[in-house]
Amino acid sequence: MSRSKQLFFWTAISAPPLYFYWFLVKSLQGLPVSDDYGAVLLYLLRWRHETTAGRIIQVLTSQNNDYRLMFENAVYGVQYASLGHTNLKALAIMGDLFVLVLFGTLYLIWQMCELERNYTLMAFIPVSWMLFQFQYISALDNASAPLQLIPVVVFVLLTCYLSIREERLAFLGSLICLILSVASSGNGLFLIPIGAIIYIQLRKYKRLMIWSVVSVLICVVYFHGYNFTVEMSHAHEHNNVIGIFKHISLPFAAAFLGNIATAANPIPAALFGGALIAVFALATRDRLFLRRPTLYYPALFFFVTAVAVSGLRSSYGLRTALGSRYRINSTVLVILLYLYLLDKFRHIRIRPVVLRAAVVLFGLLVVGFNLASNRGGEKLALTMQYKVRVAIMQWQKHEAPMPPQASAPGDYTSYAEEKGYFQPSDPILRDAINQGVYRLPANITEH
């Protein structure tokens, strides 16, 4: 590759992450929001009174809504043990950095296709523009969501990547990543049958047996004392996990899969999700699970996740499939299927002028997607941060919350505001401050 091409490659691939992290660092507030109260502050209020053995049990058994978030529980505990308090900014930065790890993992998967080096590098540029954008901004820049929603995707991809390798160390790594994926979020459990399918396909029956034993132990730990009927803390709505199969909705699952195709209307999301299903069906017919299992099985994970989420959330309406925090799943699925299509059609013969025109048009589409996503995501982030900051200042002054106001038609934040998403949770916040678990930023009014 010539120097000019190398310069173009590194400029094109590094521009999105540089802007991505510049905005995230600039917009950090260090204020708790929504799940941060239960997952971080309340968790640490209990942690500080526990013995060492009690803290280990708390890491494994503490439940936040539907999930046991063991990975982030451990991170919170280690930080508190090191600092004597929690630093929400540091936790947010740690979670945000997992997107960079996710990017590197996607490259490892793409590199396993063993295509010509220049093609591998140039074809990967759009991945940077698809991944480093702010449609999933609600999964970033706070203390709890980034340490759940991003790591589980990373560990799922790494599990599938390591599972097909021959080395014993790689198999050990796949088991560790399986444990970490389940510890990050409950949908990591879907990896258990997927991994079993992989080892049956590879005829690695000894590894299948070990995988099964480890999986049983994981399920025993995860579900021991699990509360299957939980109350959604910020919405005050009951959600029976046992009844997941009663509410499975294919339109909701399709909208969940295709939610990066729209801002607020679920119909384009469902249609795009249907297109992704068609591409995955084509990949299955092409026996991608044999030829490129590291592309196929992570994609299968997202389809299973979409069906499960529909069982849990479809009763709240189709629009809830468009939640910003869910869009990391759609983003990575689109990337995996994009890489599949690149691999499938790499030998297709097209006239050079037509090929160049197609590349330019696709490049403009990807850049336009990135810029539009950033614009919408940044607006959502800044609006949410403003409302969180105002709510906490009102709480400090013992003022009544202001009535929700929509900044524009279809403003998501007004709905979230009605549900109390931005309101401080008292007495959790008060106790956390009084007991030295959390310190409000001194310059809260200057943001």
Side-chain angles (χ1 to χ4, degrees), residues 109-353:
I109 289 173
W110 178 230
Q111 198 176 38
M112 283 195 75
C113 294
E114 297 180 340
L115 305 177
E116 194 271 330
R117 178 172 172 76
N118 284 356
Y119 182 82
T120 297
L121 293 176
M122 298 300 288
F124 200 70
I125 291 174
V127 174
S128 179
W129 290 81
M130 285 188 273
L131 181 62
F132 293 104
Q133 44 82 18
F134 293 124
Q135 282 214 22
Y136 54 96
I137 190 67
S138 295
L140 301 166
D141 249 12
N142 59 78
S144 56
L147 287 170
Q148 174 194 358
L149 300 169
I150 312 298
V152 66
V153 175
V154 172
F155 294 131
V156 164
L157 295 180
L158 283 174
T159 302
C160 295
Y161 170 77
L162 294 170
S163 293
I164 69 163
R165 300 181 70 89
E166 293 292 334
E167 303 90 341
R168 291 182 179 179
L169 193 60
F171 176 59
L172 176 61
S174 71
L175 294 174
I176 293 172
C177 287
L178 169 64
I179 293 170
L180 290 172
S181 65
V182 176
S184 298
S185 189
N187 62 328
L189 291 164
F190 301 142
L191 262 185
I192 292 175
I194 290 174
I197 293 171
I198 291 173
Y199 289 121
I200 291 172
Q201 175 186 307
L202 296 175
R203 298 182 180 179
K204 302 284 187 180
Y205 300 115
K206 183 177 179 181
R207 292 190 175 187
L208 173 63
M209 182 177 64
I210 297 172
W211 178 273
S212 301
V213 171
V214 172
S215 298
V216 169
L217 294 175
I218 289 172
C219 290
V220 169
V221 172
Y222 190 90
F223 289 110
H224 177 71
Y226 184 89
N227 180 9
F228 284 91
T229 304
V230 297
E231 184 178 333
M232 304 301 289
S233 58
H234 66 272
H236 306 292
E237 295 171 338
H238 290 280
N239 176 33
N240 190 338
V241 178
I242 299 176
I244 182 173
F245 296 105
K246 297 180 181 178
H247 303 288
I248 287 176
S249 165
L250 294 184
F252 187 100
F256 177 93
L257 293 169
N259 55 26
I260 65 168
T262 185
N265 187 342
I267 302 303
L271 292 175
F272 186 60
L276 295 178
I277 293 170
V279 174
F280 187 71
L282 177 63
T284 304
R285 192 188 71 175
D286 285 347
R287 302 172 70 84
L288 188 68
F289 49 86
L290 293 176
R291 189 164 52 88
R292 304 285 189 229
T294 51
L295 289 177
Y296 183 85
Y297 286 109
L300 176 61
F301 170 84
F302 291 114
F303 282 96
V304 175
T305 296
V307 174
V309 172
S310 77
L312 288 171
R313 304 286 185 250
S314 63
S315 60
Y316 302 149
L318 191 59
R319 284 194 61 185
T320 58
L322 308 183
S324 174
R325 62 191 290 134
Y326 292 149
R327 295 182 181 227
I328 184 63
N329 297 278
S330 181
T331 299
V332 178
L333 174 62
V334 168
I335 289 171
L336 291 169
L337 295 181
Y338 157 76
L339 294 176
Y340 153 65
L341 292 174
L342 281 183
D343 180 43
K344 177 178 175 62
F345 295 111
R346 69 187 186 280
H347 295 309
I348 191 171
R349 294 185 178 181
I350 303 177
R351 293 175 58 187
V353 64

Side-chain angles (χ1 to χ4, degrees), residues 383 387 404-408 410-420 422:
T383 302
K387 293 187 176 184
Q405 293 183 342
S407 59
D411 179 15
Y412 162 79
T413 61
S414 62
Y415 171 80
E417 199 170 9
E418 289 175 3
K419 295 293 184 179
F422 308 117

Side-chain angles (χ1 to χ4, degrees), residues 59-133:
V59 166
L60 298 176
T61 62
S62 180
Q63 186 172 334
N64 184 49
N65 293 331
D66 304 339
Y67 305 107
R68 282 186 164 169
L69 307 174
M70 305 172 196
F71 176 75
E72 63 181 47
N73 289 346
V75 172
Y76 303 149
V78 169
Q79 187 197 59
Y80 184 83
S82 302
L83 303 178
H85 61 89
T86 186
N87 185 321
L88 299 186
K89 277 190 176 183
L91 293 173
I93 291 171
M94 186 183 306
D96 293 345
L97 286 174
F98 265 94
V99 181
L100 204 57
V101 181
L102 175 57
F103 183 65
T105 305
L106 286 166
Y107 183 73
L108 288 176
I109 289 173
W110 178 230
Q111 198 176 38
M112 283 195 75
C113 294
E114 297 180 340
L115 305 177
E116 194 271 330
R117 178 172 172 76
N118 284 356
Y119 182 82
T120 297
L121 293 176
M122 298 300 288
F124 200 70
I125 291 174
V127 174
S128 179
W129 290 81
M130 285 188 273
L131 181 62
F132 293 104
Q133 44 82 18

